[in-house]
Amino acid sequence: MLGQTEWGTLMLVNDSLTFSRADSFCRGQFSSLPTLDQSKDQEGALELIRQTGLRSPVWVGNPSSTASKPVALSKQYLQLSALHFPKESRDGFTRVNMSFLALSSVTVCVRVQWNPEWKEVSTIFSYAAPVFTNEFQLRGQVDMQGRILLALIIHGKHLPYKAFFSNDGAWHHICVTWCRSSGDWAIYVDGDRKDMGSGTDTSRDIYGDGIFILGQDQDSFGGNFTEPFFGNITDLNVWNITLEKRHVHAINACSPMTKDMLFNWNLDHLSSHPVVKEVQVFLFCPAVHQQMELQDCKTLQGWSNQLPLFGQTDCSDLLPFICRSSRERYLKMKQMSDSRNSHPTAFMSHLMKHSNKTQAVLGQQPSELSSLAQASALLNISVQALEDTQQEGLQPTDMVSLIQLLFLAADVPIQPLTDATNHSQENMKELGQHFISVADSIICEDNALKWQAIKGVVNGPMDVVKSIDRMVTSLSPHLLAENDHLTIHSPNIKLEVQQQRLQEGSRGSSFCGPETEKHANIDCISVPHQKIQDLRNNGFHKLTLVNTWYGSLRPLFTPEENITMVPTVTDGSQRYLGTVLGSSVISTTVLGDDQPVSTAVHFQLQHRVQNPTGTVYDPVCAFWDFSLIPEAGGWWNTKGCEVVSKQYGYTVCYCNHTTNFALLLQVYEAQRSPENEKALQVLTFIGCGVSLCGLLFTFILFIAVGVPKSDRTTVHKNLIVALGIAELLLMCSDWASAYEAACFVVTALLHLFFMASFSWMLVEGLLLWSKVVSVNISEDRRMKLYYIIGWGLPVLIVGVTLAVSVDEYKAQDHCWLNVRSDTIWAFVGPVIFVLTVNAVVLCRVVMVTVSSARRRAKMLSPSSASKMQTFDLTWAVTRPVLILLPVLGLTWLCGVLVHLSVVVAYIFIALNAFQGLYIFLVYAVYNSEVRNAIKRIKEKRKALSFTNCSQPTSFLPSQRAPVTSWGHSPLTPSSPETSETSGPPSSSSTSLVIKNESFRKESFVTFSLKPASGNQVVLLTGFKPSGC
């Protein structure tokens, strides 16, 4: 019965199924159980029920329910206190310190770890009343097959040993129930009902005021213990009601059940014999993280005032149900169904030849696939039909029918292993082989265009992958009943199931796809050895691994369906085009003691996309998340996955969970050719070398020539040191990239010294601003502030960045900050700030210079004022820009535009790689202070050379010459010429240096006045070079 609503199509299925089977059937119809949270859906459901006259409840979906998936191992364990009953003593027991009332119903649950070496009868617990000792008791014994058989004693009646669990030394959860009104009893093991019956004494309750003992049988009230238990016991809980199966199943997963509880596990309420010791244990408890709900499944009970009445019903009840799908999907499915019925395809014709019942099964009758035998027979017939239609190939309608078959077969209820007597491992292997063969025929590359035809019905090829995961996971105990390893091959799928007992030194697990001609086992996935040891340390005894490789899924994801992802930040050399699936899909499922657990894995996958000319790819590790977009069947996700290494042709990844993995390739259009890239690298290296030499020579000149000390020269020196070290590290970064530790250190130092370079560029701007705009701050205080900005701020930025994101600090393939994370902003952010401030400073300087040039122009004659004003204004703008660009770092503004053109990239590298040479020319070669200092040094050296190399000649005056009186004049200390010829300060002589124009250019004459016998004597000395 169908009903149309504004939101879609509703289908009422009047075939009663359990909730899980109803949900499975709807999935097979490419629909789902509706939540009926929309008024239009409610009206449609009401009309359907009225038309059919249905009065029973129907299954509907729960909006809060999510698809179950493995939970991380660390989140599935609960630490509990347990009691250890040692084998060395038969006296151990524990008493529950509470008084029990008479019980008309009772449930006792306990977790036990049986000592595998003990083979005799043991009592797990016993309850004795004053008037009857064997009132309620649970005991166990080992049978010939090595199993622990369990039996109840109620009112002294010993029930048969039928329920059992394996004597494997693992923890097992046991629950026993009894109800007086019905006389029914049951024994549950690990959440499943293993034995049940009736016919017990219903004439009375269980007596009250009794004694509850763990680990011993009471042959007398509270004493005379026999049949001791050896092993560990924990989590004893007692209720005065009879719990149902769904409650026991939830309690087995550690969900709390406090209603009507008489006793909750607490060591403070227990008294133990001295030989019984308290120990701490870890129990596998999925419900600790995934809170398993104890309420029943959601049903639509009826209507009241045109509003739906929802209720809860046991999920195992058989009820009709409603499936909901979109209107477009329903119409397309109906069109395909009509076409298949009116014009059977070649595949369907061959299928009908092999079995007349096939059409009914492919007509989606839910009760037709209720057993493995039926599923196996239908899969076998489908494989035969596929072989007969290899030439014709599958049609879109055939693919939809086969996908529905896989859905139904994957959800067939699996009977316990001991009950599957009619299915040997060989039969199970054949069933698995046929399942994989059918799936392979659907996802082969030849059907890529046909997948587009069924896109409106089927979510995509990952629906087939999901069916394989469900089938193999549920069937794995049967597949490995006789052997520990099974491999199934098909052209596009490789399946491997392996099992091992966990023990000390258990090996790691590795699985690889089929070998190719060019590469051997390039697609591989592995569970690290340490993770397997963690499973053993957490109490697991058996490990099952289900690994699958899919080689043909990539062509089924069309390039037009671009995968939405945030592109990697680039340096402008590439333009992001999109993201595509670029590898095979590989998966692993980990089962610990047949329970799904999630653990970390490593995998490597080959790149299967050819690089067209002008494009490059950047691999991203990803997995298919079925819960990400449920209505679309899921989508790619990268959470918890990271790239370990990138090699030529393949990539190695790490993910912290298990699922279906692949490589997504981010496609970029190369903005620069390989020749340009090589030329830019060479230009950068040469420029850094020249720049480093220029900075070194500039620093040496500042020190050697004695440039007068000032705040400006101090700032210049610090900038030169920071920039020089940064460029030296940049030249060494290629060498360091081959060593992980060295590359990390170089990255941190590059970050530090480039940040220091920009910080001192900021200081250059602040200093220039202080010269242009009056700032009332002393030079000493100003320099302290400059040192804090120049060196303290970079150290702070680098230190905080390392502390916050040390794991994502360095890029993967070179020694620089990681541009894929926010770490790069620890460099880009401060740089943008510095460049902004310095741009403002430069504008201010240009404005002041232009103003001064205008004032000078006004002083010129009117005839030449216009011409001079134009020249002065042009020079007033050009001169400060040329002088200040290298120290203010404004050439880095070109870095924002490098993605526009390769010419801009060349300009950017030329301006910044040769920044040191530019500083050398502007602040050393053409610096007036440096040139004046060099001139003074030359003059000093000339004076010294004449003093050391000349021969003096004395000219004594005639005795008849008149005595001339000379005045004393002090020497000027700043005169390099007089400082070289003056005597000691204590001398009373006076010298006068005269340049004699009649001598050669290099000759000097010195007149000295010396006192002699009270008279002034004039001594004339002439210095003449003698071949020096």
Side-chain angles (χ1 to χ4, degrees), residues 966-971 981-983 987-993 1006-1011 1016-1019:
W966 296 82
H968 296 268
S969 60
L971 299 176
T981 59
S982 61
S987 175
S988 61
S989 64
T990 303
S991 299
L992 177 63
V993 179
T1006 303
F1007 292 91
S1008 299
L1009 295 162
K1010 295 184 179 180
Q1016 295 287 349
V1017 179
V1018 178
L1019 179 63

Side-chain angles (χ1 to χ4, degrees), residues 124-143:
I124 298 174
F125 68 81
S126 63
Y127 176 79
V131 296
F132 201 88
T133 55
N134 292 326
E135 186 69 349
F136 196 65
Q137 184 180 133
L138 176 64
R139 54 197 308 177
Q141 68 175 12
V142 182
D143 67 355

Side-chain angles (χ1 to χ4, degrees), residues 285-333:
C285 292
V288 173
H289 180 69
Q290 296 174 323
Q291 289 299 322
M292 188 175 296
E293 298 180 352
L294 293 179
Q295 64 263 29
D296 304 312
C297 296
K298 185 178 179 181
T299 57
L300 176 62
Q301 301 285 347
W303 302 85
S304 175
N305 298 326
Q306 302 298 316
L307 294 177
L309 297 177
F310 296 109
Q312 301 292 334
T313 307
D314 191 335
C315 297
S316 61
D317 288 352
L318 300 177
L319 297 176
F321 54 94
I322 298 175
C323 294
R324 178 189 179 278
S325 64
S326 66
R327 181 176 299 178
E328 294 78 9
R329 175 170 292 178
Y330 169 75
L331 293 177
K332 195 159 188 177
M333 283 191 63

Side-chain angles (χ1 to χ4, degrees), residues 737-803:
S737 61
Y739 308 94
E740 185 69 23
C743 190
F744 187 90
V745 173
V746 168
T747 300
L749 293 177
L750 275 173
H751 188 194
L752 174 63
F753 284 101
F754 267 118
M755 280 305 309
S757 300
F758 279 96
S759 296
W760 282 108
M761 292 177 194
L762 176 63
V763 171
E764 292 274 7
L766 297 177
L767 178 62
L768 191 59
W769 182 270
S770 69
K771 302 297 183 182
V772 176
V773 181
S774 177
V775 178
N776 296 324
I777 182 172
S778 65
E779 184 175 340
D780 291 340
R781 292 178 57 192
R782 188 166 56 198
M783 284 309 303
K784 290 180 180 178
L785 176 63
Y786 291 164
Y787 275 112
I788 292 175
I789 295 175
W791 293 111
L793 189 60
V795 170
L796 178 64
I797 292 175
V798 174
V800 171
T801 306
L802 285 171

Side-chain angles (χ1 to χ4, degrees), residues 855-922:
R855 287 196 300 268
R856 287 196 304 270
K858 291 180 180 179
M859 300 174 61
L860 299 176
S861 60
S863 60
S864 60
S866 176
K867 180 179 179 180
M868 293 302 295
Q869 184 177 11
T870 302
F871 174 80
D872 284 351
L873 289 178
T874 303
W875 181 243
V877 174
T878 306
R879 187 173 183 274
V881 171
L882 293 177
I883 294 175
L884 298 177
L885 274 179
V887 294
L888 296 183
L890 296 179
T891 53
W892 285 76
L893 289 172
C894 296
V896 181
L897 307 175
V898 293
H899 65 283
L900 298 179
S901 171
V902 68
V903 177
V904 180
Y906 277 104
I907 295 174
F908 171 71
I909 290 180
L911 289 176
N912 292 282
F914 293 95
Q915 186 177 8
L917 178 62
Y918 197 37
I919 291 176
F920 172 70
L921 293 175
V922 175

Side-chain angles (χ1 to χ4, degrees), residues 486-556:
L486 174 66
T487 301
I488 298 177
H489 283 278
S490 71
N492 301 301
I493 301 174
K494 180 181 178 181
L495 171 68
E496 181 182 80
V497 187
Q498 52 180 306
Q499 180 177 285
Q500 60 173 297
R501 305 295 300 181
L502 294 177
Q503 54 190 358
E504 190 67 32
S506 294
R507 67 187 186 279
S509 167
S510 180
F511 164 77
C512 293
E515 297 183 2
T516 60
E517 296 180 359
K518 296 182 179 180
H519 303 280
N521 295 335
I522 200 67
D523 295 335
C524 296
I525 190 168
S526 62
V527 179
H529 166 74
Q530 184 57 48
K531 299 301 179 181
I532 292 181
Q533 286 298 313
D534 291 343
L535 289 171
R536 178 185 179 276
N537 297 336
N538 286 318
F540 283 104
H541 292 78
K542 183 178 66 174
L543 173 68
T544 304
L545 294 168
V546 180
N547 302 303
T548 319
W549 173 88
Y550 305 92
S552 61
L553 292 180
R554 185 188 59 80
L556 306 184

Side-chain angles (χ1 to χ4, degrees), residues 34 97 107 126 240 275 382 427-428 490 807 959 981:
N97 297 325
T107 298
S126 63
N240 62 353
V275 300
S382 300
N427 293 334
M428 290 297 173
S490 71
D807 294 333
Q959 294 296 329
T981 59

Side-chain angles (χ1 to χ4, degrees), residues 580-832:
V580 298
L581 177 61
S583 72
S584 302
V585 175
I586 197 167
S587 71
T588 187
T589 301
V590 180
L591 303 175
D593 294 338
D594 297 328
Q595 296 287 339
V597 295
S598 184
T599 185
V601 296
H602 286 93
F603 63 91
Q604 68 176 37
L605 292 172
Q606 180 184 1
H607 304 166
R608 296 185 178 271
V609 176
Q610 299 298 324
N611 287 26
T613 303
T615 61
V616 293
Y617 296 101
D618 187 36
V620 178
C621 303
F623 67 96
W624 187 266
D625 189 348
F626 288 100
S627 63
L628 193 59
I629 309 178
E631 62 275 10
W635 200 244
W636 295 107
N637 197 346
T638 61
K639 185 177 181 181
C641 294
E642 60 183 23
V643 174
V644 176
S645 65
K646 301 176 185 178
Q647 306 297 333
Y648 180 76
Y650 69 94
T651 298
V652 180
C653 299
Y654 169 86
C655 288
N656 60 10
H657 55 274
T658 54
T659 184
N660 301 282
F661 302 102
L663 289 180
L664 302 181
L665 299 183
Q666 292 188 328
V667 187
Y668 295 90
E669 180 183 14
Q671 300 290 87
R672 299 193 287 262
S673 65
E675 293 78 12
N676 282 326
E677 288 289 342
K678 185 65 176 179
L680 291 173
Q681 291 178 1
V682 173
L683 182 62
T684 301
F685 189 85
I686 295 175
C688 286
V690 175
S691 180
L692 185 60
C693 293
L695 293 171
L696 182 61
F697 290 153
T698 305
F699 188 80
I700 293 174
L701 281 176
F702 277 11
I703 300 298
V705 304
V707 177
K709 183 178 180 181
S710 65
D711 52 359
R712 183 172 57 181
T713 56
T714 301
V715 172
H716 286 345
K717 291 176 184 178
N718 282 275
L719 173 60
I720 290 170
V721 170
L723 191 58
I725 296 177
E727 294 191 347
L728 178 62
L729 289 169
L730 185 61
M731 296 175 67
C732 300
S733 61
D734 284 342
W735 167 83
S737 61
Y739 308 94
E740 185 69 23
C743 190
F744 187 90
V745 173
V746 168
T747 300
L749 293 177
L750 275 173
H751 188 194
L752 174 63
F753 284 101
F754 267 118
M755 280 305 309
S757 300
F758 279 96
S759 296
W760 282 108
M761 292 177 194
L762 176 63
V763 171
E764 292 274 7
L766 297 177
L767 178 62
L768 191 59
W769 182 270
S770 69
K771 302 297 183 182
V772 176
V773 181
S774 177
V775 178
N776 296 324
I777 182 172
S778 65
E779 184 175 340
D780 291 340
R781 292 178 57 192
R782 188 166 56 198
M783 284 309 303
K784 290 180 180 178
L785 176 63
Y786 291 164
Y787 275 112
I788 292 175
I789 295 175
W791 293 111
L793 189 60
V795 170
L796 178 64
I797 292 175
V798 174
V800 171
T801 306
L802 285 171
V804 172
S805 58
V806 64
D807 294 333
E808 299 179 349
Y809 184 73
K810 187 186 76 67
Q812 295 177 354
D813 51 359
H814 58 277
C815 302
W816 184 235
L817 301 179
N818 187 0
V819 297
R820 299 190 179 207
S821 64
D822 294 334
T823 306
I824 190 62
W825 286 102
F827 176 75
V828 175
V831 167
I832 293 176

